[in-house]
Amino acid sequence: MAEPSKKVAKAIWYDPAVASSAVGEPVLKVLNSLTKEKVEFRPMHGRNVKWYNCGPTVYDASHLGHARNYVSEDIIRRILVDYFGYDVHLVMNVTDIDDKIIIRARHNYLIDQLNAESSSLSEALITQSSEGWTAYLKSKVLGRFPPNDQPKAESAVDVDAAWNLVLDKEKSDEKWWAEAKAADEKFTMHIASLRKAKDGIDVAQKALYGKDTSQAQATQLIESVKDVLAPYLDSKFGSTLTDPSISRTLAAYWEDAFFADMARLRVLSADTITRVTEYVPEIVTFVERIVKNGYAYATDDGSVYFDTRKFDGDKGGGVEASKTEDEWNHFYAKLAPGKKGNKEALEEGEGALTSGAEKRFPSDFALWKASKPGEPAWPSPWGPGRPGWHIECSVMASEIFGDAMDIHSGGIDLTFPHHDNEMAQAEAYHDCKQWVNYFLHTGHLHIEGLKMSKSLKNFITIDDALAMYSARQLRLAFLGQLWNSPMDFKESTMQEVKARETAIDNFFNVAKALIAESRAKKAAFDGRHHYDQTEKELVAFYTQTQHDFRLALCDSFNTPLALDRLLELISRTNIYVQRGRAAVNVSVVELIAKWVTKMLRMFGLGEGVVAPGSIGWGDAVREGESTVDRDAILLPYLQVLSTFRDDVRKLAIAQAPPKDILALCDRLRDIDLAPLGVALDDQEDGKALVKLVNPDVLVRARDEKAAALAAKAANKIASAEAEKAKKRAKMEKGKVAPAEMYKVPNVPDGMYSEWNGDGVPTKDGEGKELSGAKAKKVAKEWEIQRKLHADYTEWVGAGCP
């Protein structure tokens, strides 16, 4: 009979998540402009993220503020994709039709046309320039005077008097000047433009008087007055410029320049690029539906405005919402409710070519603008026109993402009215209560504490910035600031950035050198694991750093804190390496260096394509460098080696002292190997650690060291010369013998009448005995001169003069 089966005991499994020592995974939270606080990031569709980013209005060169915005957004995108593992679909628009583009394009076209037509300097050209100058003075400057005190500017005499009054105000009325600048941040730029134009007109008048009517003089005049003349020409002829290619040509040029700048800054391209001019039919359909939904109205001139009063507080969701008891109301200006009536912001959002005279309420804004003569136009049910600024993003984002998106981003200056108007339009169109779930706004950028402005002469284009700093240095600077906070771009900040870059460079170079040396030597098995307490502590610090790094990025992408954690790990590893090669477990250094590399490259700080597990920034692959030329690579190194061997042989044959051979070794290390990117670090065991470093870095360091030594030597010589001059000046005081110091020509004739045997005066010029105090004073001065003269005589005798 078979024995009854026994029940097999089952081992107990303990859930590690509930253990007392368990540390939960941090949750990503982002600073949401809609809530003004950090909230948990929860995409609508798992790990798929819909992200729309406001792109550039392409009418001028991109500046450092644009760089800060787009690089910061690129860093966040890389963190979401490469660190947190989200699948992000990034859409970015290009505003290629806008009031600014139209105005700039017409101005450029009219100035170019005037240049083409002006084959010589003429009285008519000077008169036209003067008229433009006067019109600019009236519109940009004289309006700053109170209405009752505005200077007359009817005749040429009046205009000159008005201009002189403005210049006098600059010198004598600080209050007026400060108020003018406060009212118009471009005021000083207007004054500078007027000055430049005035000088140009004066030069042209002198040239015409001197019979120099050359084309060069005409070109010079136009160049000097173009800033003040272009608006004047536009007021006269702008309405005649009906060719749409005028605006499109300008926009296309600056769009190409923008994307070239982004590529140099290593900003990843958006997954989808949209342009306003490509979506005009969709914009018309979108506006029609908003009108149908009751949230917009057409005006007599053919424009369409959004009705903010009708929208704000209106019940949303329609009949279906009432059935489900999910009732809600629309809300206008979710991001900045306190700015609903901000006239200045509203007018700026409408554009310089839009008067808004026919809208019903001040906060209403244009969805569709009736085109005036000289403006591009597309057909619509309301007549020829063009899109308003705010509508473009609502339409293009809806075309790609539908009635909702996860993230919308842009600069903080776009919060109101642009982004608030975007949401209102989209929510009016879709009849939805929340079109955007997370709004991310990057902070302002200032230069040395001041707002960046051409009038302050601190306007830095991206091209200017990249001439001063590398793309990596700029990105490191932006990483060192919270993306949503204001940033003050200062020289001291960039010096800190360079120091950080150098510290990371050195860490990578040492790590790579140790790893390469370890692999080349293939150390023999010694029966020890080389994983002692020091290694355990370093690896524990590395593990904690990884956790702290994640905590920082989960805290609304706190890159300054994350970067600090990386630098602390690098510093701790450097201390470990300084124990000496024999005491270093290279595998631990390699582990840390690989992770640091991965994180820095995740931030976008790397260059080129690198193999998995490699260490360092990487190197940008230039065109034509994919093939290896063995001779070209080896020959420079072999030549240096051969030259060194020849020089050593010569010294050995000549039985030169050891110091000469050591000097030769120093020259090899400091001079010959630097251009080859080889650094030799002398170690305590007498064997140099070989490091491969960017040649430019080594040559720069070598040249800076040489320059410092030269400066030190020059300072030493200068100090010696200064001391010599000081000595000479002192000795010169003793040149006069004490017996002659109170006699002509060393004192005025008739000052004294009698002297004692030493030449000390006893009576003044009138034959009177010197007073006691006077006698003591001249005796004391005589004694001082006696000592000085003795020193001088000794100095001359030594041949010093």
Side-chain angles (χ1 to χ4, degrees):
M1 183 175 177
E3 293 184 9
S5 60
K6 294 181 180 179
K7 187 175 181 180
V8 178
K10 184 179 179 182
I12 299 174
W13 177 76
Y14 299 96
D15 186 348
V18 299
S20 59
S21 60
V23 178
E25 182 175 352
V27 175
L28 172 60
K29 293 185 176 182
V30 300
L31 181 64
N32 190 352
S33 297
L34 288 164
T35 64
K36 308 298 186 292
E37 60 185 10
K38 297 172 186 176
V39 295
E40 185 175 344
F41 181 61
R42 294 175 178 170
M44 297 178 292
H45 304 288
R47 303 198 71 78
N48 293 104
V49 177
K50 297 178 179 180
W51 182 351
Y52 183 88
N53 185 34
C54 269
T57 299
V58 284
Y59 70 100
D60 204 345
S62 299
H63 53 68
L64 198 55
H66 294 124
R68 198 274 167 109
N69 175 56
Y70 292 109
V71 171
S72 295
E73 289 162 346
D74 181 67
I75 290 168
I76 293 174
R77 179 188 180 190
R78 289 171 183 266
I79 293 171
L80 285 174
V81 174
D82 297 335
Y83 188 79
F84 288 114
Y86 287 101
D87 298 312
V88 174
H89 181 187
L90 179 67
V91 177
M92 186 179 76
N93 74 296
V94 173
T95 299
D96 59 349
I97 189 65
D98 172 84
D99 288 32
K100 293 177 181 177
I101 294 172
I102 295 168
I103 293 170
R104 179 64 60 84
R106 291 197 316 218
H107 286 187
N108 289 355
Y109 180 85
L110 290 167
I111 291 297
D112 289 345
Q113 190 178 52
L114 182 62
N115 260 315
E117 294 171 351
S118 301
S119 57
S120 62
L121 180 65
S122 65
E123 187 67 45
L125 180 60
I126 295 175
T127 299
Q128 188 178 49
S129 299
S130 298
E131 290 171 352
W133 187 90
T134 301
Y136 196 91
L137 176 68
K138 289 179 179 180
S139 64
K140 302 297 185 183
V141 178
L142 298 188
R144 296 300 163 198
F145 287 89
N148 296 334
D149 293 332
Q150 271 196 16
K152 291 191 300 181
E154 303 304 323
S155 66
V157 174
D158 289 340
V159 171
D160 285 341
W163 174 238
N164 290 329
L165 178 61
V166 171
L167 297 181
D168 288 340
K169 288 283 187 184
E170 181 181 15
K171 298 176 183 177
S172 60
D173 195 339
E174 292 183 7
K175 184 175 180 239
W176 182 89
W177 197 261
E179 288 174 351
K181 290 196 293 183
D184 181 2
E185 65 179 23
K186 295 182 179 180
F187 182 75
T188 53
M189 187 175 72
H190 296 323
I191 296 297
S193 296
L194 286 164
R195 277 197 173 107
K196 179 182 176 182
K198 184 70 171 171
D199 291 343
I201 293 170
D202 290 344
V203 169
Q205 287 174 331
K206 290 177 182 177
L208 189 65
Y209 181 77
K211 307 299 183 182
D212 182 359
T213 60
S214 64
Q215 186 174 19
Q217 285 290 350
T219 301
Q220 182 178 324
L221 171 60
I222 295 170
E223 178 62 27
S224 65
V225 302
K226 64 180 182 182
D227 290 340
V228 303
L229 182 58
Y232 175 71
L233 294 176
D234 188 54
S235 68
K236 295 184 68 176
F237 309 113
S239 61
T240 66
L241 304 180
T242 57
D243 185 354
S245 68
I246 293 174
S247 294
R248 183 59 203 146
T249 299
L250 177 83
Y253 174 84
W254 286 117
E255 179 184 332
D256 289 345
F258 169 80
F259 283 117
D261 285 340
M262 292 301 105
R264 290 195 293 161
L265 290 170
R266 300 186 199 128
V267 172
L268 297 173
S269 297
D271 300 303
T272 303
I273 301 290
T274 61
R275 295 174 184 82
V276 182
T277 54
E278 298 170 349
Y279 279 83
V280 176
E282 289 83 357
I283 290 172
V284 171
T285 301
F286 201 93
V287 173
E288 284 184 296
R289 182 164 170 179
I290 296 176
V291 173
K292 182 180 178 182
N293 288 350
Y295 295 121
Y297 56 89
T299 57
D300 292 340
D301 70 342
S303 298
V304 180
Y305 285 89
F306 189 85
D307 192 335
T308 55
R309 284 188 299 179
K310 175 67 171 63
F311 176 80
D312 195 14
D314 196 43
K315 184 180 291 186
V319 177
E320 295 301 318
S322 299
K323 287 180 180 178
T324 60
E325 297 184 355
D326 181 23
E327 295 187 10
W328 50 273
N329 296 328
H330 287 298
F331 191 98
Y332 176 61
K334 290 180 176 181
L335 291 167
K339 290 188 175 182
K340 286 182 183 179
N342 188 316
K343 182 181 178 183
E344 184 179 348
L346 289 166
E347 289 179 352
E348 185 177 352
E350 291 298 85
L353 297 175
T354 306
S355 67
E358 298 194 22
K359 63 183 179 180
R360 297 173 183 172
F361 191 68
S363 63
D364 294 352
F365 55 89
L367 302 177
W368 183 259
K369 300 179 179 183
S371 291
K372 297 184 287 295
E375 297 177 9
W378 286 263
S380 80
W382 315 284
R386 56 190 176 88
W389 176 34
H390 314 296
I391 193 68
E392 62 185 65
C393 293
S394 302
V395 175
M396 293 186 289
S398 294
E399 283 292 313
I400 308 298
F401 292 142
D403 62 358
M405 71 181 79
D406 296 296
I407 299 174
H408 194 324
S409 60
I412 189 67
D413 54 308
L414 297 179
T415 303
F416 182 87
H418 185 54
H419 287 158
D420 269 326
N421 289 355
E422 273 189 50
M423 283 193 290
Q425 295 163 156
E427 290 168 5
Y429 174 87
H430 296 293
D431 194 21
C432 63
K433 56 185 174 183
Q434 186 163 288
W435 184 55
V436 176
N437 292 334
Y438 302 90
F439 240 118
L440 308 184
H441 287 105
T442 57
H444 284 299
L445 180 135
H446 291 85
I447 307 294
E448 298 288 354
L450 299 173
K451 184 176 180 180
M452 186 165 60
S453 168
K454 290 180 180 178
S455 62
L456 295 176
K457 297 183 180 179
N458 65 353
F459 189 85
I460 303 174
T461 65
I462 291 177
D463 200 47
D464 295 334
L466 288 173
M468 295 184 286
Y469 309 106
S470 69
R472 181 192 298 144
Q473 288 166 347
L474 291 174
R475 187 171 287 248
L476 272 171
F478 301 146
L479 276 164
Q481 308 287 326
L482 289 173
W483 57 272
N484 56 286
S485 296
M487 177 181 178
D488 192 6
F489 191 85
K490 301 185 292 187
E491 177 60 28
S492 59
T493 300
M494 295 312 297
Q495 291 305 318
E496 292 173 11
V497 164
K498 289 180 179 180
R500 283 185 163 189
E501 183 185 37
T502 299
I504 297 170
D505 272 337
N506 292 338
F507 168 71
F508 282 148
N509 291 333
V510 170
K512 288 189 291 185
L514 289 171
I515 294 165
E517 183 181 68
S518 176
R519 289 175 179 168
K521 285 185 176 180
K522 296 180 181 179
F525 176 71
D526 62 1
R528 294 181 61 243
H529 53 66
H530 298 283
Y531 206 91
D532 299 317
Q533 186 60 30
T534 307
E535 285 73 26
K536 291 176 183 177
E537 291 174 357
L538 181 56
V539 171
F541 186 79
Y542 158 68
T543 303
Q544 183 62 44
T545 298
Q546 289 181 308
H547 179 69
D548 293 343
F549 185 84
R550 183 173 290 272
L551 282 174
L553 295 187
C554 282
D555 184 20
S556 193
F557 316 110
N558 189 333
T559 56
L561 183 57
L563 194 58
D564 284 343
R565 294 293 174 263
L566 289 179
L567 291 167
E568 287 169 6
L569 179 59
I570 287 172
S571 178
R572 182 70 71 92
T573 308
N574 286 338
I575 293 171
Y576 171 72
V577 169
Q578 288 170 6
R579 300 167 67 212
R581 284 183 294 186
V584 169
N585 185 329
V586 177
S587 65
V588 173
V589 177
E590 184 174 7
L591 172 71
I592 293 171
K594 285 182 177 179
W595 182 74
V596 171
T597 294
K598 184 178 179 182
M599 294 305 99
L600 291 176
R601 290 186 70 83
M602 179 270 295
F603 284 144
L605 293 167
E607 295 185 62
V609 179
V610 296
S614 61
I615 291 172
W617 308 110
D619 294 305
V621 179
R622 298 179 180 85
E623 190 176 350
E625 288 188 350
S626 57
T627 57
V628 175
D629 185 344
R630 185 172 179 272
D631 291 344
I633 292 174
L634 292 179
L635 195 57
Y637 299 88
L638 296 177
Q639 287 174 333
V640 167
L641 178 62
S642 176
T643 300
F644 177 73
R645 175 180 177 274
D646 293 341
D647 292 339
V648 170
R649 290 184 74 251
K650 289 177 184 177
L651 292 175
I653 293 170
Q655 297 182 342
K659 65 180 181 65
D660 291 349
I661 296 177
L662 291 175
L664 197 61
C665 293
D666 289 343
R667 191 192 75 183
L668 175 70
R669 178 194 63 198
D670 300 334
I671 306 299
D672 300 332
L673 291 178
L676 301 177
V678 177
L680 302 180
D681 275 4
D682 294 331
Q683 303 290 304
E684 72 286 348
D685 60 4
K687 299 176 182 177
L689 178 64
V690 180
K691 297 190 298 186
L692 298 180
V693 184
N694 186 314
D696 293 340
V697 173
L698 290 179
V699 170
R700 185 165 60 249
R702 179 196 68 190
D703 293 345
E704 288 174 354
K705 181 179 178 181
L709 290 174
K712 184 177 180 181
N715 287 339
K716 187 176 180 180
I717 293 172
S719 296
E721 287 297 324
E723 187 62 30
K724 193 174 179 181
K726 184 178 178 182
K727 178 78 172 177
R728 184 180 293 109
K730 182 180 178 181
M731 291 298 104
E732 286 294 322
K733 292 180 181 179
K735 189 173 184 179
V736 177
E740 299 297 322
M741 67 181 291
Y742 291 112
K743 297 178 181 178
V744 177
N746 299 308
V747 296
D749 189 14
M751 188 172 183
Y752 301 108
S753 58
E754 287 187 18
W755 299 261
N756 65 16
D758 293 326
V760 179
T762 57
K763 293 183 180 181
D764 62 19
E766 296 176 356
K768 297 178 182 178
E769 292 285 338
L770 297 183
S771 67
K774 181 68 174 177
K776 285 182 180 181
K777 181 182 178 183
V778 295
K780 184 177 180 181
E781 290 175 346
W782 184 91
E783 180 59 27
I784 292 172
Q785 187 66 17
R786 184 189 66 77
K787 291 178 180 179
L788 287 174
H789 187 67
D791 291 341
Y792 174 78
T793 303
E794 183 181 350
W795 183 63
V796 172
C800 292

